[in-house]
Amino acid sequence: MSSFPQYRPRRLRRTAALRNLVRETTLAPAQLVLPLFVREGKKLRKPVGSMPGVAQTSVDEMLRDAEAAAKAGVGGVILFGLPESKDATGTGAWAEKGAVQQAVRALKKELPGIVVITDVCMCEYTDHGHCGVLRDGEVDNDATLELLARSALSHARAGADIVAPSDMMDGRVQAIRSALDENGFSSTAILSYAAKYASAFYGPFREAAESTPRSGDRRGYQMDPGNADEALREVFADIEEGVDAIMVKPAGPYLDIVSRVKAETGYPVAAYQVSGEYAMICAAAERGWIDRERVVLESLLGIRRAGADFILTYFATEAAALLGN
Ligand code: PBG
């Protein structure tokens, strides 16, 4: 008779080789997507103060960042656009020669191996900074749908593999799906930011994308941080409308949502490690309070373990390099 304890979990932790053999979750460069902020012009690189290492760039400079990402094995990029001028209805969002549309074309030509995703939203293009058109001070859901569909279609025309609506209007997946199908883009996929919370963690992004609402906030359309069941209702509504993959955002503070969405839908799930999550890690590491490389990889592994198939993260290239190809 052996004595207590019979089960000794430490037996399989003794060496790296043993640990590698039984590791349940893996993190690979191909599961990472790098967000990029593009604007018109040439040779532009404007650093974002609250996101060290992140910059707004012109298309030519963006290509260099995308190339470095591709070289490190990063699976995809997601593009955000900064228009030359903004107006009340965000007409820059579907400009044939807009920064995003040009960036997509350039990426498809120069780096055909990397997945190109475009963020579909009005907030970077409207002068008031809201994610849709305003009527009586409120974002008009149904009037916004047509504009979102137009932008998504212009991204598909440029060659985007996936369009990703992040506006949180009701019915946008169906509106976008119909517009794509009617125009011969039935193969363009939709990744919806289905469970997108009204989060303070987006602060630094709004500096990067110049999209802070001039008045009010986004609580009238983004989700209340206290709600989890509602996230599932959002997700199932998008599934009924024909979505291909689902995003949860932010990632770190919402891992329970990532886990439930994966378990209850079986759909491909993406999680967005947002600007505030990025900034916090950078700031603490800069002060020497945490080990940057280890925290970066652990934060991403945790998101994968919760159930995310792929992760949108500003650390994509760095993490991919750390992981090796
Ligand atoms: C656009 C959009 C936002 C983010 C992604 N798409 C900002 C917002 O909703 O205010 C946030 C990304 C980040 O914080 O990294 N609607």
Side-chain angles (χ1 to χ4, degrees):
M1 271 294 261
S2 58
S3 58
F4 180 84
Q6 292 271 17
Y7 174 55
R8 290 181 184 272
R10 289 183 52 184
R11 288 182 195 120
L12 295 178
R13 291 179 199 147
R14 284 175 45 242
T15 65
L18 282 167
R19 292 191 294 274
N20 288 341
L21 205 61
V22 298
R23 184 165 303 123
E24 298 168 37
T25 306
T26 55
L27 179 65
Q31 296 157 339
L32 304 176
V33 172
L34 178 69
L36 295 166
F37 300 96
V38 285
R39 56 186 316 152
E40 283 154 50
K42 283 222 157 64
K43 292 199 161 56
L44 287 177
R45 185 169 288 270
K46 194 173 160 215
V48 179
S50 50
M51 300 175 76
V54 176
Q56 300 175 352
T57 62
S58 48
V59 174
D60 51 340
E61 289 289 316
M62 177 280 302
L63 276 176
R64 295 164 51 144
D65 294 346
E67 204 176 336
K71 218 178 233 169
V74 166
V77 295
I78 180 164
L79 298 168
F80 296 91
L82 292 114
E84 286 298 287
S85 64
K86 308 191 183 210
D87 55 33
T89 49
T91 53
W94 56 85
E96 177 77 17
K97 295 214 166 101
V100 167
Q101 289 78 358
Q102 291 191 41
V104 172
R105 285 191 204 98
L107 282 164
K108 280 290 142 195
K109 185 157 166 259
E110 306 295 334
L111 297 167
I114 201 158
V115 174
V116 177
I117 308 173
T118 56
D119 183 88
V120 177
C121 194
M122 306 311 295
C123 64
E124 297 119 77
Y125 301 94
T126 53
D127 51 15
H128 45 74
H130 277 289
C131 300
V133 283
L134 295 180
R135 202 169 67 188
D136 305 328
E138 253 192 75
V139 173
D140 184 337
N141 191 92
D142 297 12
T144 301
L145 294 180
E146 195 211 326
L147 311 185
L148 294 167
R150 260 199 234 181
S151 333
L153 185 56
S154 80
H155 298 168
R157 281 208 175 101
D161 299 296
I162 303 178
V163 292
S166 69
D167 51 283
M168 289 299 278
M169 297 304 118
D170 299 326
R172 79 271 175 77
V173 172
Q174 184 171 50
I176 291 171
R177 186 71 274 159
S178 311
L180 294 177
D181 291 357
E182 280 161 20
N183 288 278
F185 294 98
S186 56
S187 301
T188 307
I190 302 177
L191 162 67
S192 74
Y193 290 66
K196 175 173 176 180
Y197 288 85
S199 171
F201 285 91
Y202 306 151
F205 172 94
R206 292 182 187 168
E207 183 195 339
E210 298 175 6
S211 65
T212 309
R214 246 196 236 158
S215 63
D217 54 42
R218 304 209 202 289
R219 280 181 261 210
Y221 39 102
Q222 298 181 348
M223 282 190 56
D224 188 323
N227 295 354
D229 287 339
E230 188 195 356
L232 268 295
R233 295 198 295 275
E234 278 278 5
V235 166
F236 283 115
D238 286 0
I239 287 175
E240 241 164 64
E241 294 173 29
V243 81
D244 299 286
I246 291 152
M247 200 192 309
V248 174
K249 177 182 167 195
Y254 296 86
L255 293 182
D256 58 323
I257 310 299
V258 173
S259 171
R260 278 188 66 181
V261 169
K262 186 62 191 177
E264 294 181 38
T265 69
Y267 264 63
V269 173
Y272 199 143
Q273 182 181 52
V274 302
S275 55
E277 298 176 77
Y278 175 80
M280 288 194 308
I281 293 176
C282 291
E286 227 170 73
R287 292 187 168 201
W289 290 352
I290 57 171
D291 177 330
R292 177 177 174 121
E293 296 185 355
R294 290 189 58 199
V295 169
V296 166
L297 293 179
E298 187 178 333
S299 67
L300 296 171
L301 187 67
I303 297 165
R304 285 266 306 137
R305 193 189 59 245
D309 296 290
F310 60 103
I311 305 170
L312 293 82
T313 173
Y314 303 94
F315 290 119
T317 306
E318 176 180 350
L322 290 171
L323 292 165
N325 262 315

